[in-house]
Amino acid sequence: MMERTMATRAAIADIRALKARYFRCVDEKDWTTLATLFTSDATMFFPEHQTAPVSAREAIAFIATALTGGVSIHHGHMPEIALTSSTTATGIWGMEDRIHWTFSLSGGLGLEWLHGYGHYHEQYRLVAGAWRISTLKLTRLWSRTMKPARQT
């Protein structure tokens, strides 16, 4: 087992804080700050909604549209973070999310609510002294959704 040096512990703490900012920025709809958490060449992949990874810029635009009229709560749990070099790392995070849209504005997904569980699979890179997400893939193990009831 690899010895945990002070530098390793500091890097893992920084990556944990980076992911905490990711969740907060999504829930607060702070798209400007969210964009700063990624490397310039970062990709994101949501297999439920995409057939291939897209740039972080495109993915953030998708998230912003999907959350229009919604309130989201994202939780990240039990991170498995491994440094692969002094400037790269990988991580897997257990996750749970809940999203509730107002009835009149059901966002880009056309739902009233969504509740899901799964994992974020990520790669990180140290850029100019700060850890950034370079790849993000969200896999869901389970999700339940409800479409708005039709009004007459």
Side-chain angles (χ1 to χ4, degrees), residues 62-75:
F62 166 77
I63 295 166
T65 299
L67 290 180
T68 298
V71 174
S72 66
I73 304 118
H74 288 82
H75 294 265

Side-chain angles (χ1 to χ4, degrees), residues 19-83:
K19 191 63 180 181
R21 280 191 302 278
Y22 168 87
F23 289 125
R24 180 183 53 78
C25 287
V26 171
D27 290 342
E28 291 182 350
K29 298 182 176 90
D30 183 352
W31 312 126
T32 302
T33 303
L34 183 65
T36 69
L37 306 181
F38 294 87
T39 61
S40 60
D41 61 346
T43 60
M44 296 171 76
F45 185 32
F46 305 108
E48 287 182 310
H49 304 287
Q50 302 163 317
T51 58
V54 299
S55 72
R57 181 183 46 76
E58 291 174 84
I60 291 168
F62 166 77
I63 295 166
T65 299
L67 290 180
T68 298
V71 174
S72 66
I73 304 118
H74 288 82
H75 294 265
H77 309 278
M78 306 172 301
E80 300 174 56
I81 300 169
L83 268 59

